[in-house]
Amino acid sequence: MKHITIITPDGQNNLSSIVGAYKIFSRAITYWKKQHKRESYTVVLAGLSKEVEFYDGLFTVKPHMHISAIPKTNLIIIPSLNHNYQEAVTENKPLINWIEKQYKNGAEVASICTGAFLLASSGLLNGKSCSTHWAFAETFREMFPKVNLQTDRLITDESGIYTNGGAYSFLNLIIYLVEKYFDRQTAIFCSKVFQIEIDRQSQSAFIIFTGQKSHSDEMIKQAQTYIENNLHEKISIENLSTKLAVGRRNFDRRFIKATGNTPVEYTQRVKIEAAKKAFETSRKNINEVMYDVGYSDVKAFREVFRKITGMSPLAYKNKYNKEAMY
C-alpha cells in the first residue's frame, strides 16, 4: 500500500488546506477501493507536535503521528502558511529537513499556496518552476531568487515537485494529484462530489496587479509613478528613459532588477489592471476602455489583455460585471 502524508507544520498556519486535502484524498481512496476491490493508498497527518492550534486556539489538529514514525512516504502535501514566512521556516526546520530527505528517497512533494515558502527553503525548488499566491509573489522572489516563480500558473509539475497558486485553488491541485495517483475516473468523481472545476490551469484572471515597489531604486520608482499616472497615453519607453536622464539599456536593466518586469511588460500590466477595473465597475464598452488606457488598436489590446488575464476583454467583462449581461 502506498502512502500520502499531509504535514501539519508548527505555528498559526492555515487549516483549510489541511482539511480539504485530507477529505478529498480520503474520498478518492474509498472510491478507488470500491471500484477496484483492493487497497490503494493510505493518507495520514504528520508533524512535529502532538497538537497544533489554529486561529488562536479556536481549532486544534492532532496529527496521526510524528514525522519520525514515517520512514518512507510516496507523496507529501505541504499546506499553506500564515504570512510570517521566516518564522514558519525557523519553527519547522526539522520538518524541512525531513521533506528534503524523503524527496531524495523517492517521495514526491506538493506545496499548497504559500506552503511554497516552506518547500523553497529546503532548496528543492532551486532552478525549478513554482507557483504561489500572486499577492505574495514579490516577497517570494526576494527570499528565493533561484526559483523560477510563475504566478500566472495555477499548477506546476516538475521533477516530482508540484506547486499551486493561491487560497482555495489548492482544490484544483488536489484533484490534479488524485488523477495522477489514482486515475481520471476517480478525479472526475471527486471533482463532481466536491464541485471543483477540473483541469483549471491558470490563476491569471484572479491576479490584482498593485505594482512592485518594495525596492530601493528611486529612479525606477519615479518611472513607475509616471507610467501609473499617464495611463491614457501611448508611453514611449525611450522617451521615459531620456526624461529620467538614463540610457535605454541601463534603464531596462535597472527596471527588470527592481520589478521583475521589463518597462514594456510593466506598462502593459498597469494598463490592463486599469482596464479590468473599468470592466468590473462601469458600463463602458471594449473600445471605450481600450482608449482610456492608451490603446488604439483593438487587436493589440485584446492580445495583451488575454496574455495577462487568460481571458478576452469581453469574457472578462461578462464574468465580473453583472450589469454587462443586460
Side-chain angles (χ1 to χ4, degrees), residues 239-255:
N239 290 345
L240 180 55
S241 63
T242 300
K243 186 187 294 284
L244 295 168
V246 62
R248 175 64 190 272
R249 288 182 64 184
N250 188 34
F251 178 69
D252 285 358
R253 180 186 60 78
R254 286 173 63 176
F255 206 103

Side-chain angles (χ1 to χ4, degrees), residues 41 64 82 97 99 101 106 134 245 285 322:
Y41 289 89
H64 294 101
N82 63 23
N97 294 337
I99 292 168
K101 181 180 177 181
W134 57 263
N285 63 34
K322 287 184 178 180

Side-chain angles (χ1 to χ4, degrees), residues 292-310:
D292 284 348
V293 297
Y295 281 88
S296 56
D297 184 324
V298 175
K299 184 181 178 182
F301 176 67
R302 284 177 178 158
E303 287 177 354
V304 173
F305 194 96
R306 184 180 290 278
K307 181 182 75 172
I308 291 174
T309 68

Side-chain angles (χ1 to χ4, degrees), residues 146-157:
K146 295 180 180 179
V147 180
N148 178 21
L149 185 63
Q150 300 184 28
T151 49
D152 61 318
R153 296 278 296 280
L154 190 73
I155 296 169
T156 66
D157 175 347

Side-chain angles (χ1 to χ4, degrees), residues 95-157:
L95 194 53
I96 294 166
N97 294 337
W98 180 82
I99 292 168
E100 184 179 4
K101 181 180 177 181
Q102 287 289 333
Y103 178 74
K104 291 177 179 177
N105 197 31
E108 294 193 324
V109 185
S111 69
I112 289 171
C113 189
T114 51
F117 283 82
L118 199 68
L119 178 57
S121 67
S122 70
L124 294 176
L125 280 174
N126 287 348
K128 296 184 179 70
S129 297
C130 168
S131 186
T132 190
H133 197 298
W134 57 263
F136 309 107
E138 202 169 343
T139 303
F140 187 93
R141 284 194 181 95
E142 290 172 2
M143 289 179 66
F144 307 107
K146 295 180 180 179
V147 180
N148 178 21
L149 185 63
Q150 300 184 28
T151 49
D152 61 318
R153 296 278 296 280
L154 190 73
I155 296 169
T156 66
D157 175 347

